[in-house]
Amino acid sequence: LSPAPRKRAGGGRNRELTRTTFRMLVGLGTSVAANAAPLVITELAYPPHRVALTSLFNCMWYTGSIAAAWTTFGCFRIDNSWAWRLPSLIQGVPSAAQVSLLFFSPESPRWLYSRGRKDQALQTLAYYHGDGDEYVIVTFFIALESIR
C-alpha cells in the first residue's frame, strides 16, 4: 500500500501568478540599481575614496547574488509555498532598506545641472567635493560653461 498523495498548499494557476508577480516586484529595481548606483557613487564619493566605493558596490552585488542563490537552494526541499516565499522575502529585505534609504541620498549633481538647477548642483558638489568651499566648484562650472 502506498500513502495517499499530499496536496500542496495553494491553487496551481493562482500560486504561479503570485510567485511570478512577487519575483517581478522584488527584481523591479535591479536594472535601475545596476546602472544608476555606480554613477551616483562615482559622482558623490570623495575622489580618494571613489575607486574603493565603486569597487565595493560591484563586489557586494555578486556577494548578494551568491547569498540569494544559496538561500534558494536551502529552501528547495520545503514542501509548501514557503519554498519560494521565504527566499523572496529574504531577498526583499535589502531592497526595502535600499528604497527607504533612497530618500536620504542627495540627487545627482549631473541630473540637477541638466534640469537647470545649477545652484543646487553647485551646493551638492561643494558639500561632497569642496569641503563646503564653493570657490573650487565655481571654477569647475566656469570651465564647464566655456566648453558649451
Side-chain angles (χ1 to χ4, degrees):
L1 292 171
S2 64
R6 280 180 41 179
K7 281 192 165 186
R8 298 194 108 190
R13 180 169 160 69
N14 189 29
R15 183 172 160 207
E16 285 300 313
L17 180 64
T18 305
R19 183 181 68 85
T20 303
T21 303
F22 197 76
R23 290 302 299 164
M24 285 174 51
L25 182 65
V26 168
L28 184 65
T30 301
S31 61
V32 173
N35 292 312
L39 294 175
V40 173
I41 290 170
T42 303
E43 287 179 3
L44 296 178
Y46 197 65
H49 305 143
R50 188 174 294 155
V51 173
L53 289 174
T54 306
S55 300
L56 183 65
F57 171 81
N58 289 331
C59 291
M60 288 296 126
W61 187 266
Y62 294 107
T63 303
S65 296
I66 291 168
W70 277 108
T71 301
T72 304
F73 180 75
C75 295
F76 181 69
R77 293 199 182 261
I78 296 176
D79 220 13
N80 56 31
S81 65
W82 283 100
W84 65 266
R85 288 182 185 188
L86 188 61
S88 297
L89 288 172
I90 291 171
Q91 292 170 38
V93 169
S95 299
Q98 188 176 18
V99 167
S100 65
L101 292 174
L102 183 66
F103 298 108
F104 298 105
S105 67
E107 292 165 331
S108 164
R110 185 182 313 222
W111 182 84
L112 291 168
Y113 188 83
S114 71
R115 299 293 187 261
R117 296 162 59 182
K118 296 178 185 179
D119 292 336
Q120 194 174 357
L122 173 65
Q123 289 172 352
T124 302
L125 284 171
Y127 181 79
Y128 287 101
H129 294 284
D131 228 5
D133 183 17
E134 293 184 3
Y135 177 74
V136 176
I137 308 303
V138 168
T139 307
F140 173 72
F141 269 119
I142 292 170
L144 187 63
E145 286 294 327
S146 68
I147 293 172
R148 288 184 147 207

